Amino acid sequence: MSSSSMNVVPILKLSVLALSLLHISSAYADSTTVKAYTHTTDDEPHIRLPEIVVYAKPSSTDALGKAASINQKLINSKQVASSDTATILTKIPGLNVQSAGGISNLPVMRGLADNRLRVLVDGVDSIASCPNSMNSPLSYIAPSSVDETTVYAGVTPVSVGGNSIGGTIVVETAEPVFSTDSDILTLGEIGTFYRSNGDAYGANLSTTAANDQLSLTYKGSFAQADNYKAGGNFKSYTQTGNPNKTLAKDEVGSTAYESKNQSLDIAYKNGNHLLQGTYLWQNVPKELYPNQRMDMLDNQLDRINLRYQGELNWGQLEAQAYHEDVDHYMNFGEDKQFLYGAAKGMPMSTNSKTIGTNLKAIVDLAEQGTLNIGAEYQDYTLDDTWAASGNGMMSPNKFQNINNGQRQRISIYGEWEKDISPEWTTQLGTRYENVRTSADEVHGYQVGGQNNMTNQLRDSANFNASDRSTTDHNIDVTAIARYNIDAQKTLELGLSHKERTPSLYERYTWSTWPMAAVMNNTVGDGNGYFGDPNLSPEKSNTLSATLDWRADDDSWGIKATPYYSYIDDYVDAVQWNRMTNTAAGTQTTNQYNVLRYTNQDAEIYGIDISANRELAANTWGYWDIVGSLSYTKGENKDSGSDLYNIMPFNGSVALNRENNGWTNQIEVVGVAAKKDVSTPRNEIKTAGYGLLNLSTGYQFKEVAIEAGIDNVFDKNYALPLGGAYMGQGRTMSMNKEIDGSSNWGTSVPGVGRSFYIGVNYKF
């Protein structure tokens, strides 16, 4: 950080303290849709912008199967406290995150994460191109670029589902704006933020020039941070494996990051037709990972996205084509040991290309309801190679982790929705997907000799002799019905069958050698994994019900959703004996192991509850309280083990106040102890904890200020979905001891006390 930047830090900290003492609470959410309140008074300051027209897309407010949505106002307020889009979504009950890098946390929805969820960003179905899922789909969009996010959990309409069993997250940037006449309209906004813990700071800029037919928008943002500190000492050692660097016992190694995003959007409107083209460029020169043995030291995305939307006399038509290139590089960051004898690091490169097209039509059938039909195509190619390093076991050739991996997906779907009576609305949908995966032959660092220690020759020969091309015929069927019991109560019932083809990393990673296997880990538990070309698709059958009960005047409400899923051929993992190349007969505990992906059966069930209550509206402002509770239980029916990374019972309650431009909040978050853990993975148990968060914001004409304190009491706690701490030292060790100090059994801790402040100006 520059000296000029350092001079600003004390001023920012004082500003945070002053604002936090002035007000303590903020009104943001109701129980059905996480949205910003618009309670205003005549003398309240408002943002004054030029007269514009927004090309509106169909509203999803009453969409069947929708769990919740978050709009731009809430996103803008929460991005000051986090640069990670997935973390902001945790304001939705039942949605959590699996820890990863500072901008790449993986959303977890009712016990299912990563490839089991579909994430659509402006219609683009992106795939993580990394053996550790470091470049997750939501990491490619900065919070400042998000306009609205809609979450479908469990029983998901087939029109937004596909190759997923857990649900869908639909993220949309702002629709293009146009002027009301041929005059040129210019507008935009600029924002900046600072967070004390980790010395994080960043900025965002967007600007638009448009007339009544053409709109041009540029967006840019950057964010960076150093390692954050926990609420207290969580480890007993300070070594990093680098002789000139140590980390304090409360510093969480490998949590620093730097990210840069730019996009250019051109839109043309002619009557009821819109043609839009977007170029997105992202570069992440550094994102370190506290629960992985490697770090991401460069990642570049280039994406072109073309979209058409039209209102026709029979309904709506949408068409899309996109192309995406990803160049990804991993090695040991500055907090991890770099030299291993003659080997200088372990360079790993991943490259992928994605081509996709989508065609969708919503046909108005008048009294017969609406018909939503569509077709999708996606071609994804992946190469994952590790260059030779030194003259030992990581030489003399490159290691082909996945060679020319391919996944081609062709989908068609139909979805019919109808109000069959004033009380009943029904939706029936079916989707068929043809998914073909394949990979070419591979070899390890060594292609000759005995390989007795590493088994690279044996494993590559077995893999090359296997059938590495599979075609899956996946079927999704969904039925949803909503019944309006009376003016206050609504009941929604859902039943679905969903199927998902395993990822390329689940099918085509091949080495049992621990040093190679630990590089293939998408869950951050410290273990090593390798795949099985014969894995079958997962098949999930889900039943859910949602009761929404609220007052006639909307002064209070409660929403409860119990759910149950049984998953055939769930892709779990078993401990592996690499010497006999068979499943381990005896489970090895209290250490990291090599595991193989395998099909087993599983069940997941739980309930999400949210509620809100207006308290008062007086001269002191508008007051309300909101809260949520979530419980999830997952079990492997074959092994009897609990499933990995299931969030324990948790909840939150927030007291909100809004008055004349001020929005304030006191929030308490509570999480129970994690006692149900995955036995094959030797998952770490965590203790329960409670956190107090304070936030405040003020809107003054075109300027918005947000500030707050997270973890007010500087609580030292372990993240239940944080995984195993791998943030520093000799991370390639499979044993308990790292740099002479015990690392086994240490979970990644949460962030300690953090002050934050952000300013946003619209012009």
Side-chain angles (χ1 to χ4, degrees), residues 13-313:
K13 289 183 177 179
L14 289 173
S15 301
V16 172
L17 285 170
L19 288 165
S20 300
L21 290 172
L22 283 172
H23 291 278
I24 315 177
S25 142
S26 144
Y28 288 126
D30 67 17
S31 63
T32 304
T33 302
V34 184
K35 63 182 181 181
Y37 283 104
T38 56
H39 180 78
T40 60
T41 59
D42 292 339
D43 59 349
E44 181 176 333
H46 296 279
I47 300 174
R48 292 190 291 269
L49 293 174
E51 186 176 1
I52 61 175
V53 174
V54 180
Y55 191 93
K57 56 179 177 288
S59 174
S60 61
T61 302
D62 298 319
L64 290 171
K66 186 186 74 171
S69 64
I70 295 180
N71 68 8
Q72 188 180 41
K73 183 175 181 180
L74 177 61
I75 294 168
N76 286 346
S77 66
K78 296 305 179 185
Q79 69 171 320
V80 180
S82 176
S83 298
D84 177 56
T85 300
T87 297
I88 293 175
L89 301 185
T90 59
K91 292 301 174 183
I92 295 175
L95 200 152
N96 302 284
V97 291
Q98 173 185 303
S99 297
I103 59 169
S104 301
N105 287 317
L106 301 173
V108 180
M109 197 182 303
R110 297 176 180 173
L112 299 171
D114 203 8
N115 294 301
R116 295 187 172 102
L117 304 180
R118 191 182 191 194
V119 178
L120 297 171
V121 179
D122 283 340
V124 175
D125 193 351
S126 198
I127 301 171
S129 298
C130 168
N132 304 142
S133 289
M134 290 182 173
N135 43 23
S136 56
L138 287 178
S139 69
Y140 289 132
I141 182 166
S144 59
S145 296
V146 178
D147 181 63
E148 184 178 16
T149 299
T150 304
V151 174
Y152 299 86
V155 180
T156 303
V158 298
S159 56
V160 294
N163 204 51
S164 61
I165 62 172
T168 301
I169 299 173
V170 179
V171 179
E172 294 285 348
T173 58
E175 292 294 311
V177 299
F178 301 88
S179 66
T180 56
D181 50 39
S182 58
D183 292 341
I184 300 297
L185 163 75
T186 58
L187 71 159
E189 64 180 279
I190 186 171
T192 186
F193 70 86
Y194 175 78
R195 295 189 286 271
S196 63
N197 197 331
D199 194 27
Y201 61 95
N204 60 276
L205 167 71
S206 68
T207 181
T208 296
N211 58 21
D212 58 340
Q213 286 191 309
L214 192 65
S215 178
L216 179 65
T217 298
Y218 168 81
K219 294 180 181 178
S221 65
F222 83 91
Q224 67 180 63
D226 296 329
N227 292 338
Y228 70 76
K229 291 188 175 182
N233 296 340
F234 69 97
K235 59 183 189 292
S236 60
Y237 55 94
T238 61
Q239 303 96 321
T240 65
N242 297 322
N244 298 321
K245 185 173 186 180
T246 58
L247 299 180
K249 294 178 182 178
D250 65 343
E251 183 174 347
V252 185
S254 300
T255 53
Y257 62 86
E258 180 182 354
S259 174
K260 306 171 185 177
N261 297 272
Q262 295 187 80
S263 67
L264 183 64
D265 183 274
I266 302 175
Y268 171 74
K269 178 175 71 73
N270 185 0
N272 293 327
H273 304 275
L274 176 71
L275 184 63
Q276 187 176 7
T278 303
Y279 171 69
L280 173 65
W281 174 89
Q282 184 197 69
N283 178 248
V284 179
K286 179 178 72 173
E287 186 178 10
L288 310 184
Y289 282 73
N291 59 0
Q292 296 289 355
R293 298 168 187 270
M294 306 287 286
D295 297 307
M296 188 167 76
L297 299 185
D298 189 49
N299 192 88
Q300 182 163 318
L301 167 80
D302 291 276
R303 178 189 295 165
I304 297 174
N305 188 16
L306 303 176
R307 306 174 79 183
Y308 164 79
Q309 300 176 49
E311 296 281 347
L312 307 174
N313 55 10

Side-chain angles (χ1 to χ4, degrees), residues 641-681:
S641 167
D642 294 292
L643 297 183
Y644 179 75
N645 251 0
I646 300 294
M647 186 71 177
F649 179 68
N650 64 95
S652 67
V653 61
L655 175 66
N656 305 303
R657 171 180 175 265
E658 180 178 355
N659 188 42
N660 292 331
W662 282 102
T663 56
N664 315 292
Q665 184 179 79
I666 304 175
E667 180 187 47
V668 177
V669 177
V671 179
K674 184 173 185 175
K675 300 178 181 179
D676 299 333
V677 294
S678 171
T679 302
R681 289 177 164 91

Side-chain angles (χ1 to χ4, degrees), residues 296-375:
M296 188 167 76
L297 299 185
D298 189 49
N299 192 88
Q300 182 163 318
L301 167 80
D302 291 276
R303 178 189 295 165
I304 297 174
N305 188 16
L306 303 176
R307 306 174 79 183
Y308 164 79
Q309 300 176 49
E311 296 281 347
L312 307 174
N313 55 10
W314 49 263
Q316 302 164 4
L317 178 66
E318 298 181 20
Q320 179 177 22
Y322 58 89
H323 181 274
E324 183 177 276
D325 284 339
V326 175
D327 291 316
H328 174 70
Y329 174 73
M330 294 195 302
N331 212 323
F332 302 110
E334 60 261 30
D335 296 340
K336 296 171 181 173
Q337 181 172 319
F338 183 75
L339 294 175
Y340 287 84
K344 297 182 178 180
M346 188 175 176
M348 304 169 63
S349 298
T350 307
N351 308 101
S352 71
K353 295 183 183 298
T354 307
I355 298 174
T357 58
N358 301 324
L359 184 64
K360 174 182 177 181
I362 302 177
V363 183
D364 185 0
L365 301 178
E367 296 182 357
Q368 299 304 314
T370 59
L371 180 64
N372 192 339
I373 56 176

Side-chain angles (χ1 to χ4, degrees), residues 53 55 64 76 128 187 223 236 278 281 295 352 355 398 408 426 443 483 503 577 579 593 602 629 691 741 745 761:
V53 174
Y55 191 93
L64 290 171
N76 286 346
L187 71 159
S236 60
T278 303
W281 174 89
D295 297 307
S352 71
I355 298 174
K398 66 180 180 181
Q408 295 176 332
T426 59
H443 63 73
Y483 176 58
S503 70
N577 185 326
M579 301 312 297
N593 296 291
L629 293 171
L691 303 175
S741 299
Y761 170 66

